[in-house]
Amino acid sequence: NNSVEDAAKGRFPKEASRPMTDSRAGFVEAQGSGVQLLMDAELAIEMGVPIYGVIGLTNTATDKEGRSIPAPGRGILTTAREVNGPSVPSSALLDFNFRMSQLEQDLADVQTWKNREKSRLESLAKQAEGDKKHQADLKMRTEVVEDMARKKRQGAYATWGQGFYKGLPNVSPLRGALAVWGLTADDIGVGSFHGTSTK
C-alpha cells in the first residue's frame, strides 16, 4: 500500500487496510499479538478447561497458485456455496434430531453385531478347549471383531457426525457446520475475516 497516495486522496492511516473494497492498494504491514488456545472438546472437558466458544468451521479460499484469492468476497462465497431451487430439496440431513436418531441406530447395530460375533467366538472357544492353536486363532479373531467394531463406529460418526454435509451440493459448508450443533445462520455470534488488501 502506498501511504503517500492514500494521504493525497484524503485517506487516514487507519484506512490503509481495506481488503473488502475495490480501492485496496496492496499489503499493509502491522504488528500485534494474540493467543487463542484451541483443543478438542473431549480433552477440554476432561481437563476442566473453561470453554468460551466452539469453532464450527474454518475455511480458506485459494487459487492453487498463491495462498489466498484476493478478490473481495470470494472466500465467504465458497463457504456459503450450495445448490438450491425447486428441483433441489433442502437436505433432511440438516435436521439434528434425524441425524442423532440415525447415529444412535447405527451405533446400536454395531453393538448388536459385535455382541453376536463375540458370542459366536465364545462358543467356538468352549469347543476348542485344550487346543492351543485354535485358542490362539480365536483370540486373533476376537481382536479383529473389536477392531472392526471400532471402524464401524467411526463410519457411523463420519456419516452422521461433524462431516455429514461434506460433498453435498445442496448443503453449504457454513450451513452444514452450523447444523452439526443444531444451529442456523441466525445463531452466529462472531465471524472472523482475515484480509491482506492485496490486489
Side-chain angles (χ1 to χ4, degrees):
N1 191 53
N2 189 320
S3 58
V4 174
E5 287 181 8
D6 272 359
K9 292 177 183 174
R11 290 197 178 94
F12 293 102
K14 67 180 181 181
E15 298 176 81
S17 180
R18 45 189 188 280
M20 298 303 290
T21 68
D22 287 337
S23 67
R24 67 190 185 283
F27 186 76
V28 178
E29 290 190 38
Q31 295 179 5
S33 67
V35 176
Q36 296 172 335
L37 181 61
L38 304 178
M39 64 174 58
D40 181 86
E42 187 176 349
L43 178 61
I45 292 167
E46 185 181 304
M47 291 178 63
V49 176
I51 299 172
Y52 297 105
V54 173
I55 296 178
L57 173 71
T58 61
N59 200 21
T60 185
T62 63
D63 59 8
K64 298 184 183 177
E65 293 293 330
R67 287 175 287 185
S68 64
I69 293 178
R74 287 193 189 174
I76 194 63
L77 290 177
T78 61
T79 305
R81 71 188 179 279
E82 65 184 20
V83 178
N84 282 317
S87 63
V88 183
S90 179
S91 178
L93 293 173
L94 292 170
D95 184 334
F96 180 86
N97 293 320
F98 171 73
R99 288 194 324 276
M100 179 60 77
S101 67
Q102 296 302 311
L103 174 61
E104 288 171 349
Q105 183 60 57
D106 278 6
L107 292 176
D109 290 346
V110 170
Q111 190 61 44
T112 299
W113 173 84
K114 178 182 169 183
N115 292 342
R116 185 180 66 239
E117 291 302 308
K118 288 188 92 171
S119 176
R120 186 174 65 80
L121 290 171
E122 285 167 6
S123 296
L124 290 172
K126 286 179 185 173
Q127 296 170 17
E129 280 184 21
D131 184 343
K132 289 185 178 180
K133 184 175 184 282
H134 201 60
Q135 289 284 353
D137 183 54
L138 289 172
K139 183 177 183 236
M140 184 185 70
R141 288 187 189 188
T142 301
E143 290 171 358
V144 168
V145 167
E146 290 285 352
D147 189 50
M148 289 308 297
R150 179 183 58 78
K151 288 180 179 178
K152 286 173 180 276
R153 281 192 297 272
Q154 286 176 339
Y157 281 110
T159 300
W160 306 110
Q162 294 183 357
F164 80 89
Y165 58 90
K166 293 180 179 175
L168 297 177
N170 61 333
V171 180
S172 73
L174 181 59
R175 188 188 306 270
L178 289 167
V180 165
W181 306 97
L183 304 173
T184 69
D186 293 332
D187 298 303
I188 294 175
V190 174
S192 176
F193 165 79
H194 170 73
T196 63
S197 292
T198 55
K199 283 196 170 190

